[in-house]
Amino acid sequence: MQVAIDGPASAGKSTVAKIIANKLSFVYIDTGAMYRACTVIARNHGLDYGDESGILKAIDEDGIELKSENGEQKVYSDGKDISLEIRTPDISANVSQVSALAGVREKMVDLQRKMAGQTNVIMDGRDIGTTVLPNAEVKIFLVASAKSRAERRLLDFKERGIQTDQTVEEIEKDIAARDYKDSHRKISPLKKADDAIEIDTTSMTIDQVVDEILNKIKK
Ligand code: DC
């Protein structure tokens, strides 16, 4: 079975997807982490974030691996754990540019489809319902107000131990800028699939969102 969860930055996709994956023993695949890993690789190689052929070569050299360790998803590249590095503001600010590159998307979508073909999956991202898994049995589009998403991101930073000097207002601006870029890129932009169910999580608890999605899956 395939479950697709799409939506803008910090709408709660990964939080609920992880819980549902645990409850149903599905494999959770965080596709945003893969594009973030591509961005870390580009930076480590000193490449311009628009240098498509250079970035593709560097990804081939270093590789990207998603591993589950003690119930947590970890991201490895070139033998190193880059799970914290992929969440830093510098990477967040540049991931939209890297993820808009046609070759990078083609490579990641190929990988994502391979992973999804082997097992029951719940996959979160921007184009899962529209492009990566168009035949997913359940498609969810999560939205929330920009302010509440900024507050959640700040909380998420604290929980992950990531230091930041950014205020909620600055984070809200960054999130809005990233959403704009992700929604307006040429290839598979952030968009609700026609057959996706939209859930506004602004005033919902995590448990409420999880229950609503579990009900759809059970149906
Ligand atoms: O979900 P996230 O915020 O970690 O995703 C980081 C970026 O990766 C997001 O701003 C756009 C890109 N992305 C994408 O283009 N397609 C996906 N399926 C997932 C993420």
Side-chain angles (χ1 to χ4, degrees):
M1 185 170 183
Q2 297 178 335
V3 178
I5 303 198
D6 290 299
S10 296
K13 302 182 297 290
S14 64
T15 306
V16 297
K18 267 184 231 164
I19 297 172
I20 294 169
N22 274 338
K23 282 191 193 261
L24 301 179
S25 298
F26 280 23
V27 169
Y28 165 58
I29 301 170
D30 175 355
T31 63
M34 297 167 76
Y35 292 103
R36 287 171 180 274
C38 296
T39 312
V40 168
I41 291 171
R43 194 191 55 188
N44 289 349
H45 283 252
L47 296 166
D48 186 285
Y49 291 123
D51 178 0
E52 178 167 328
S53 59
I55 294 175
L56 287 172
K57 200 166 152 259
I59 295 170
D60 281 341
E61 275 172 31
D62 291 0
I64 296 170
E65 236 188 312
L66 301 186
K67 292 189 194 174
S68 181
E69 287 174 8
N70 308 320
E72 274 206 48
Q73 193 192 268
K74 298 276 181 189
V75 185
Y76 282 80
S77 180
D78 196 23
K80 288 187 281 286
D81 181 352
I82 56 166
S83 313
L84 280 184
E85 209 178 335
I86 62 168
R87 307 281 163 201
T88 54
D90 174 42
I91 296 304
S92 297
N94 291 296
V95 63
S96 289
Q97 191 182 349
V98 173
S99 67
L101 300 171
V104 169
R105 295 208 73 80
E106 208 178 302
K107 204 182 245 311
M108 293 305 114
V109 169
D110 257 12
L111 261 173
Q112 289 155 12
R113 288 190 180 138
K114 276 195 192 112
M115 292 190 237
Q118 296 162 355
T119 173
N120 290 328
V121 285
I122 180 159
M123 194 180 272
D124 86 31
R126 304 292 188 286
D127 60 340
I128 311 305
T130 55
T131 308
V132 183
L133 306 176
N135 299 320
E137 287 90 341
V138 178
K139 296 183 187 178
I140 306 289
F141 197 76
L142 285 190
V143 295
S145 74
K147 184 161 183 275
S148 71
R149 290 189 283 130
E151 285 165 356
R152 286 176 194 168
R153 177 136 293 214
L154 199 56
L155 200 69
D156 191 46
F157 279 161
K158 277 199 188 130
E159 281 172 8
R160 289 177 197 265
I162 296 173
Q163 303 284 336
T164 178
D165 300 331
Q166 281 188 303
T167 62
V168 180
E169 288 74 23
E170 285 165 344
I171 295 178
E172 190 177 331
K173 255 199 196 162
D174 286 356
I175 285 177
R178 190 143 62 90
D179 287 347
Y180 184 86
K181 285 185 212 153
D182 294 343
S183 315
H184 289 83
R185 67 170 176 240
K186 274 205 201 113
I187 311 155
S188 46
L190 164 66
K191 189 174 168 284
K192 176 180 168 291
D194 291 339
D195 51 349
I197 301 154
E198 181 166 320
I199 303 175
D200 186 338
T201 69
T202 306
S203 332
M204 291 172 80
T205 64
I206 292 169
D207 285 347
Q208 285 171 328
V209 182
V210 167
D211 284 347
E212 191 163 334
I213 299 175
L214 277 176
N215 282 336
K216 312 272 182 225
I217 294 173
K218 279 174 191 154
K219 256 192 213 160

